[in-house]
Amino acid sequence: MTASPADGSWLTALSDWAVSLMDVIGPIGAGLAIALENLFPPLPSEVILPLAGLAASRGSFTLIEALAWTTAGSIVGAFALYGLGAWLGADRLRRLAAHIPLLHPEDIDRTVAWFQRHGGKAIFFGRMLPVFRSLISIPAGITRMPLLKFGLLTAAGSLIWNSIFVLSGFFLGESWHVVEQYAEILQYIVIIGAVGGVAFFIHRRVRSLLEHRRNGAVEDGAS
């Protein structure tokens, strides 16, 4: 089985690696690649999953096996990151925030409170967003979301995401890489939105800091 057109890029190398795993150990290789993708987001699920579908269309394993093993891989990777979040914990993050410029312990408290209110939706829909599909498991661990709830939401969101790309590879065959172009657009949108959100936060925090210093200078001058 071949991956995408050979262009010598890192993406092609990763694709070839995923293909070799599937060739050697079948659908388990697809599951292993997806588990690693959760831990190392630069590994593109948008490439691995269609290749699993392509392998299934060629009879290397069944479509059900492709969906089952890639979803199992997603769950395993998500629980590993959940464990990281549980190890970090809110208290440790508060102490770290106190030593990071522009961050305050109260920011952690607000984030934890938001996740406790909306964590279920964040996990389910977050599993269908590039980059965030991995990172969203960490706050679930920090807030100690019930394991059963976390597992079910992760499985449901992952199954939807995985099915879209596995089925694309299954039905598109050698033209599977067409879906990659649309996935890249979604990835760019998510990244731009995240960068914009961080920039807005930094702008507000810096402006608040400058205003606080000006007010303090005025008070000192008046006294």
Side-chain angles (χ1 to χ4, degrees):
M1 182 173 64
T2 58
S4 56
D7 57 6
S9 68
W10 67 273
L11 186 58
T12 299
L14 288 173
S15 301
D16 291 341
W17 172 78
V19 166
S20 66
L21 273 179
M22 292 181 229
D23 287 340
V24 173
I25 54 178
I28 300 176
L32 176 60
I34 290 299
L36 293 175
E37 175 266 335
N38 277 262
L39 301 174
F40 186 62
L43 280 172
S45 65
E46 303 93 318
V47 172
I48 298 170
L49 293 170
L51 285 172
L54 176 60
S57 72
R58 293 178 171 180
S60 300
F61 40 81
T62 68
L63 181 61
I64 296 299
E65 286 177 314
L67 291 172
W69 278 103
T70 54
T71 301
S74 297
I75 295 171
V76 169
F79 268 105
L81 291 174
Y82 178 100
L84 174 61
W87 174 79
L88 285 171
D91 290 339
R92 181 171 292 173
L93 287 178
R94 289 188 193 98
R95 291 194 295 269
L96 288 173
H99 296 88
I100 297 176
L102 302 182
L103 279 182
H104 305 309
E106 294 77 15
D107 296 326
I108 304 300
D109 295 333
R110 283 191 289 267
T111 301
V112 167
W114 181 91
F115 197 87
Q116 288 174 335
R117 292 194 303 270
H118 306 289
K121 291 178 285 188
I123 291 295
F124 177 73
F125 291 107
R127 294 299 307 176
M128 292 175 266
L129 290 174
V131 182
F132 282 100
R133 65 190 307 272
S134 297
L135 300 179
I136 197 63
S137 301
I138 296 176
I142 292 171
T143 59
R144 301 299 178 97
M145 176 181 282
L147 292 176
L148 180 60
K149 179 180 180 180
F150 173 75
L152 291 175
L153 289 169
T154 297
S158 298
L159 181 60
I160 293 173
W161 175 266
N162 294 355
S163 296
I164 292 171
F165 287 95
V166 170
L167 290 173
S168 296
F170 186 83
F171 290 113
L172 291 174
E174 293 295 343
S175 300
W176 67 266
H177 55 274
V178 172
V179 73
E180 179 191 335
Q181 301 171 5
Y182 296 98
E184 283 183 349
I185 294 174
L186 175 60
Q187 186 174 27
Y188 289 141
I189 292 174
V190 171
I191 292 173
I192 290 171
V195 171
V198 171
F200 179 71
F201 171 82
I202 292 175
H203 170 73
R204 288 191 59 185
R205 187 54 53 87
V206 169
R207 187 176 65 179
S208 175
L209 180 62
L210 292 175
E211 289 178 353
H212 177 74
R213 287 181 178 177
R214 283 197 297 267
N215 291 338
V218 170
E219 291 176 0
D220 290 341
S223 63

